[in-house]
Amino acid sequence: MTSITLYYDVVSPWTLFAYQVLKRYRQPWDFQLVLKPMFLGGVMQASGNKPPITVKNKGIWMNQHDLPLQAAFTQTPYKFPETFPLNTIHCMRTLRAIADVAPDKLEKATDLFFGAVWNPPAGTRAEEAIQPSAFPKLLGTNGLFSGDEIENIMKLSTSDDIKNKLKTESGQLVEEGAFGFPWMVAKRSDGQTRPFFGSDRFDPMAFWLGKEWQGPLADGRKPAGLPKL
Amino acid sequence: MTSITLYYDVVSPWTLFAYQVLKRYRQPWDFQLVLKPMFLGGVMQASGNKPPITVKNKGIWMNQHDLPLQAAFTQTPYKFPETFPLNTIHCMRTLRAIADVAPDKLEKATDLFFGAVWNPPAGTRAEEAIQPSAFPKLLGTNGLFSGDEIENIMKLSTSDDIKNKLKTESGQLVEEGAFGFPWMVAKRSDGQTRPFFGSDRFDPMAFWLGKEWQGPLADGRKPAGLPKL
């Protein structure tokens, strides 16, 4: 079966967009979406890569031009955090813990953490929303986890086991070729695999998979809110 | 009228693909394609950006995965040079000279220089094809320029005037926000402008322009040579 494995950290805005697009294409492209929580800071450091924001013009292009347009184009709720970059290590350890103890709820939990960073409730700052003290309430959203489950996840997320797993797996991913996120490894029905980097490779990815690219909404509709001409 | 200004250096493979795509969309999107030869090395240095190849994993992804797929996807003849990066300063000075003395032939000359780097004749190495000694023959391809015109262009391309223009304009582009190529500035019919970076932003660019993205061949056809599934 076709699968696409998304290696991600909720700190990455382009990964937010890629994640939305992947979820929309799961049905039309008929693939299994595999989620792998990682720590971007570790991947950047181990690969010798630097955040785009460290090049002044790249930061301006990213914040003023590319990200707002991609948010509109992919119809993704998006508010750039007042403080950035944020340290999402606790988020990613928590998601890594959930991957172990409740893999069937990892996607919903991932939605919640992406939301905490990029679409926090009115009046809440992203940097507050990603403090561990805010996690119990977040993980209880719509009854996703019970109080006991949350307690267990919180405890596990600060364990050496989970800390080491996140660190080791992020390091291993760099050995496999990654240098930033979104890093996606697509596997075709004929067994071939291929890595893709960036939220902007879905069109050639469709080509390689033998699938149809129908725009970011996955159904050929144009995004709403086209800027007036 | 809608216009898209492409700031380019023939050393950049992603710019090669962007250039092919732009030329194909000129008719369906009905825009003026404005070509601005620049020197990427100067832009990188002035902006503090570094070539992708300086991050080992990025170089591997670029050469082994992304570029070959983009070449197939955009149906662009493409052979990665044995030596890379190449110093294209003489190519870009020559194109800058042509922009002054024969702007109506700049596009054809640009085709020739991109071809010299990315699709040199069998048995020719790109690094030889971009030596100034090879330019007279190159510029005479299909009678594009006469012997006298070529002599004039070659002389002009080594003049202080052209050297300074290329240097000054590349520096100014960084002040306007660029940090790498392809850097494209799109102008809509309502007068709004917006910069785009990368060969992978045509889909959101179409959205912003109010045009239709119909794939890299500009007509909705799938690229030939789809990998067997």
Side-chain angles (χ1 to χ4, degrees):
Chain A
M1 192 197 171
T2 306
S3 69
I4 301 176
T5 303
L6 174 69
Y7 299 88
Y8 67 105
D9 184 322
V10 296
V11 77
S12 158
W14 284 297
T15 303
L16 166 75
F17 305 139
Y19 178 56
Q20 304 306 319
V21 170
L22 282 173
K23 287 198 294 179
R24 292 172 191 155
Y25 272 93
R26 188 160 31 189
Q27 276 207 311
W29 284 3
D30 188 23
F31 67 89
Q32 189 190 3
L33 175 59
V34 182
L35 296 177
K36 294 283 184 187
M38 295 279 153
F39 182 52
L40 180 56
V43 169
M44 295 296 251
Q45 194 171 27
S47 66
N49 199 5
K50 292 227 162 63
I53 219 164
T54 53
V55 173
K56 189 185 158 205
N57 277 357
K58 215 180 262 192
I60 294 170
W61 165 77
M62 166 181 167
N63 287 327
Q64 294 183 13
H65 299 292
D66 197 58
L67 292 176
L69 184 63
Q70 301 286 352
F73 181 57
T74 61
Q75 301 276 290
T76 305
Y78 156 87
K79 183 177 173 292
F80 202 79
E82 289 171 39
T83 308
F84 198 83
L86 295 161
N87 184 349
T88 50
I89 185 92
H90 299 298
C91 303
M92 301 320 294
R93 283 177 182 160
T94 303
L95 287 168
R96 185 62 192 81
I98 292 170
D100 269 5
V101 297
D104 55 317
K105 294 184 181 174
L106 178 60
E107 184 172 324
K108 284 219 163 80
T110 298
D111 291 346
L112 294 173
F113 277 102
F114 266 122
V117 178
W118 299 102
N119 189 30
T124 314
R125 293 159 59 110
E127 57 190 313
E128 294 157 3
I130 63 158
Q131 293 304 317
S133 57
F135 292 0
K137 193 182 164 196
L138 187 70
L139 292 171
T141 306
N142 295 326
L144 182 60
F145 292 103
S146 71
D148 282 355
E149 288 171 328
I150 290 169
E151 202 174 317
N152 182 36
I153 290 164
M154 293 300 291
K155 197 172 158 192
L156 194 60
S157 73
T158 58
S159 69
D160 284 345
D161 176 46
I162 287 297
K163 286 182 187 175
N164 288 337
K165 274 184 178 165
L166 192 67
K167 194 173 174 179
T168 308
E169 289 165 2
S170 299
Q172 198 180 330
L173 188 65
V174 171
E175 280 174 34
E176 290 167 11
F179 52 86
F181 293 152
W183 184 257
M184 293 168 277
V185 177
K187 185 178 174 186
R188 303 199 307 202
S189 49
D190 66 358
Q192 282 197 59
T193 63
R194 191 175 192 105
F196 291 85
F197 169 70
S199 64
D200 38 40
R201 291 299 193 267
F202 289 111
D203 208 344
M205 185 193 279
F207 166 65
W208 184 77
L209 286 171
K211 309 283 186 184
E212 293 285 338
W213 171 248
Q214 297 279 352
L217 303 183
D219 58 4
R221 273 184 306 135
K222 274 179 193 293
L226 183 69
K228 276 198 175 162
L229 292 180
Chain B
M1 192 200 170
T2 306
S3 70
I4 301 175
T5 304
L6 174 71
Y7 299 88
Y8 67 105
D9 184 321
V10 295
V11 78
S12 159
W14 284 297
T15 304
L16 166 74
F17 305 139
Y19 177 57
Q20 303 306 318
V21 170
L22 282 172
K23 287 198 294 179
R24 293 172 189 154
Y25 272 93
R26 188 160 32 192
Q27 276 205 312
W29 284 3
D30 188 23
F31 68 89
Q32 190 191 2
L33 175 60
V34 182
L35 296 176
K36 294 283 184 186
M38 294 279 153
F39 181 51
L40 180 57
V43 168
M44 295 296 252
Q45 194 170 29
S47 66
N49 199 4
K50 294 226 159 63
I53 219 164
T54 54
V55 174
K56 188 186 158 205
N57 277 357
K58 215 180 263 192
I60 293 171
W61 166 77
M62 165 181 167
N63 287 327
Q64 292 182 14
H65 300 291
D66 197 60
L67 293 175
L69 184 63
Q70 301 286 352
F73 181 58
T74 61
Q75 301 276 290
T76 306
Y78 156 88
K79 183 177 173 294
F80 202 80
E82 291 172 40
T83 307
F84 197 82
L86 294 160
N87 183 348
T88 50
I89 185 90
H90 299 298
C91 303
M92 300 321 294
R93 283 176 181 160
T94 303
L95 287 168
R96 184 64 192 80
I98 292 169
D100 269 5
V101 297
D104 55 316
K105 294 184 183 176
L106 178 58
E107 184 171 324
K108 283 217 163 80
T110 298
D111 291 345
L112 294 173
F113 277 103
F114 266 121
V117 178
W118 297 103
N119 189 30
T124 314
R125 293 158 58 110
E127 58 190 315
E128 295 159 2
I130 63 159
Q131 293 304 316
S133 58
F135 292 179
K137 193 182 165 198
L138 187 70
L139 292 170
T141 307
N142 295 325
L144 182 61
F145 292 104
S146 71
D148 282 355
E149 288 170 328
I150 291 170
E151 201 174 319
N152 182 37
I153 290 165
M154 294 299 291
K155 197 172 158 190
L156 193 59
S157 73
T158 59
S159 69
D160 285 345
D161 176 44
I162 287 296
K163 286 181 185 175
N164 289 336
K165 275 183 178 166
L166 191 67
K167 194 174 175 177
T168 308
E169 290 165 1
S170 298
Q172 198 181 329
L173 188 65
V174 172
E175 283 176 32
E176 290 167 11
F179 52 87
F181 293 152
W183 184 257
M184 293 169 275
V185 177
K187 186 180 175 184
R188 302 200 306 203
S189 49
D190 66 358
Q192 283 197 57
T193 62
R194 190 173 193 108
F196 291 85
F197 169 69
S199 64
D200 39 40
R201 291 300 194 263
F202 289 111
D203 209 345
M205 184 193 280
F207 166 65
W208 185 77
L209 286 170
K211 309 283 187 185
E212 294 284 339
W213 170 248
Q214 298 278 353
L217 302 182
D219 57 5
R221 274 186 306 134
K222 275 181 192 293
L226 183 68
K228 275 198 179 164
L229 291 181

